[in-house]
Amino acid sequence: MSSASTTNLTPPSSIRRRWKAITRKAREVRSIGDALGSTDHPYMAHIVPMRRCNLSCTYCNEFDDFSDPVPIDEMLRRIDHLGRLGTSVITISGGEPLLHPDLDQIIARIRKTGAIAGMITNGYLLMPDRIQRLNRAGLDHMQISIDNVMPDAVSKKSLKVLDKKLQMLAEHAEFHVNINSVVGGGIANPDDARVVSERALGLGFSSTIGIIHDGSGQLKPLGEAERKVWDKVRAMTRRSYSRFNHFQVAIANGKTNDWRCRAGGRYLYICENGLVHYCSQQRGFPAVPLADYTVDDVKREFLTEKSCSPSCTISCVHQVSYIDHWRAPQNSSVTPGSSHKTGSQELVQIQ
């Protein structure tokens, strides 16, 4: 290896990491202040640069094994449209984002709009040089979900496979890393979630635990063994943003939540075709091209109740909607998955 290459792979100093963490936190606090001051812009958008994934977890309905990446020029236009709407946080998801050949440009464009740049990845393609490229592009947050300790037929996102990647992140990443463990959804050994969380915290990452939803993003109550592990992990991770996942208490108990879902307003899901949807599990409505989405659309959906919300388990939508839980009762409603129509469009439930 050349001396230049060696230099490029030098781990960041603790001072540099601390400074980046401080400035990142300041931007996050400012974004929350802006959200509290005005409801006419999205707080978070998930955007899909490609649907293809290098894995095939059996519980996942958000990938295929053949799609081409969205051309970079089109991705940059979509990012600019999210900037036009004043989006505070833009998170790249998939599929597997690291398969996109121009991912660094996408991240840099997000930062150029002034938004906080996040990414959800399975982590398989991470190497020290790739992590350093993400640093240079300006990535703020990365989340990796690890489903088990040993790979099985349900999921290959295992601690055994990914532990070396986690060590690389601990050494080289200048962005915040969260490791999400899961219970439910066919995970064979619930205690794996505890092992994953302990490892994440030991490496200096934050850790959260989620309840795997069914194929429509709906409630799936926990069994006794799953509930015990879920309680243990939550007790370990109270300092992280898992404290905003209190809605999962009802889900774990097989109960519904009474809340105001702000999807389509505060939260947008942009699929690979450039259409705005409520979330990953309600693709099909409103299904408006992002280029045509306006502040009026944001305001309308902010005030629209979604009938799927009581049993919803989609954490990001809950967390974003929590900003406005205290204001603006919703005065119209839609029923995803039914024959109910709003205007000329019928809501479509993804299968």
Side-chain angles (χ1 to χ4, degrees), residues 238-313:
R238 290 194 189 280
R239 289 177 61 85
S240 75
Y241 60 80
S242 61
R243 61 184 176 274
F244 296 117
N245 287 347
H246 57 277
F247 72 93
Q248 289 189 341
V249 174
I251 293 169
N253 293 327
K255 298 178 180 179
T256 58
N257 282 286
D258 182 13
W259 64 296
R260 295 169 184 166
C261 174
R262 307 295 185 175
R266 288 302 213 179
Y267 174 88
L268 309 179
Y269 180 89
I270 317 302
C271 72
E272 68 274 27
N273 297 316
L275 303 178
V276 178
H277 309 275
Y278 283 154
C279 66
S280 65
Q281 303 305 309
Q282 297 296 349
R283 282 173 269 161
F285 193 83
V288 174
L290 177 59
D292 299 332
Y293 214 69
T294 67
V295 173
D296 286 340
D297 293 312
V298 170
K299 291 179 177 179
R300 181 192 67 246
E301 297 297 347
F302 182 86
L303 295 173
T304 300
E305 180 183 7
K306 290 81 181 176
S307 67
C308 51
S309 64
S311 299
C312 174
T313 69

Side-chain angles (χ1 to χ4, degrees), residues 13 32 61 74 107 138 184 192 195 259 336:
S13 69
I32 294 172
N61 62 7
E74 178 58 28
I107 294 169
D192 283 2
V195 177
W259 64 296

Side-chain angles (χ1 to χ4, degrees), residues 133-146:
R133 283 171 52 194
L134 295 172
N135 290 338
R136 292 192 293 271
L139 186 67
D140 291 302
H141 293 278
M142 174 183 287
Q143 175 162 300
I144 301 175
S145 286
I146 300 183

Side-chain angles (χ1 to χ4, degrees), residues 178-193:
N178 182 71
I179 306 301
N180 188 64
S181 59
V182 293
V183 289
I187 300 301
N189 184 5
D191 195 56
D192 283 2

